[in-house]
Amino acid sequence: MAANVLIVDDSVTMRRMIKRTIEISGLDVAEVYEASNGIEALARMDQYSIGVVLLDINMPVMTGVQLIERLRDDERLREIPIIVASTEGSQTRITHLLEAGARGFIRKPFQPEQIRDALAPLVGLRAQPAQPAGLDESAF
């Protein structure tokens, strides 16, 4: 069963790039929703059933770390898997994020296959990957 993914990043460009990567990756994703900060992310989670969150940590209004804490404190949302994608990647920071509840970490800038590989265990792959015109496996 296809999962809905929520991309939470304050950069419109980054959200578009991640969304496009998901679309061509063959992941079993139903819908991809977007939010530019933690507050917007919580609103999307009230509106839609979210299966996985792909999250930046440095954002205005509510940071990714604050969002992780809020999700883990919410009985209804605490089991949603979270993958962090950030430029801030010291081992201490990564360890703290994993201890806080993140399931994985992707360091920006990333290769498209890193997004696919991080999400595949959580959402699965389609039996027949989507291949938009002009794209093939070499897109990864």
Side-chain angles (χ1 to χ4, degrees):
M1 182 172 178
N4 293 329
V5 174
L6 176 61
I7 302 167
V8 187
D9 196 302
D10 59 323
S11 166
V12 172
T13 302
M14 185 58 65
R15 289 194 313 266
R16 286 182 184 157
M17 188 170 74
I18 293 170
K19 184 175 183 177
R20 182 68 178 138
T21 298
I22 290 170
E23 289 170 347
I24 66 172
S25 67
L27 293 166
D28 193 14
V29 171
E31 298 291 332
V32 177
Y33 299 102
E34 299 178 32
S36 64
N37 61 60
I39 298 295
E40 285 183 16
L42 290 170
R44 297 294 177 280
M45 288 184 217
D46 281 341
Q47 292 175 300
Y48 307 106
S49 174
I50 301 299
V52 178
V53 175
L54 188 61
L55 176 67
D56 186 18
I57 55 175
N58 295 312
M59 298 178 292
V61 184
M62 177 187 280
T63 68
V65 173
Q66 292 167 324
L67 178 60
I68 290 171
E69 291 167 355
R70 288 278 296 271
L71 294 178
R72 294 307 169 235
D73 288 342
D74 186 317
E75 189 172 310
R76 182 177 60 90
L77 303 173
R78 72 172 45 129
E79 297 302 320
I80 296 173
I82 300 167
I83 303 294
V84 174
S86 179
T87 57
E88 195 174 323
S90 72
Q91 190 56 51
T92 301
R93 183 64 148 172
I94 294 169
T95 299
H96 173 23
L97 291 165
L98 295 173
E99 288 171 353
R103 292 262 187 103
F105 182 88
I106 300 167
R107 184 172 283 116
K108 292 179 187 176
F110 51 78
Q111 297 298 314
E113 60 270 8
Q114 290 175 277
I115 298 289
R116 181 195 59 206
D117 293 348
L119 293 177
L122 303 172
V123 301
L125 295 170
R126 287 189 286 262
Q128 190 67 286
Q131 292 289 330
L135 294 176
D136 59 27
E137 285 297 313
S138 64
F140 291 107

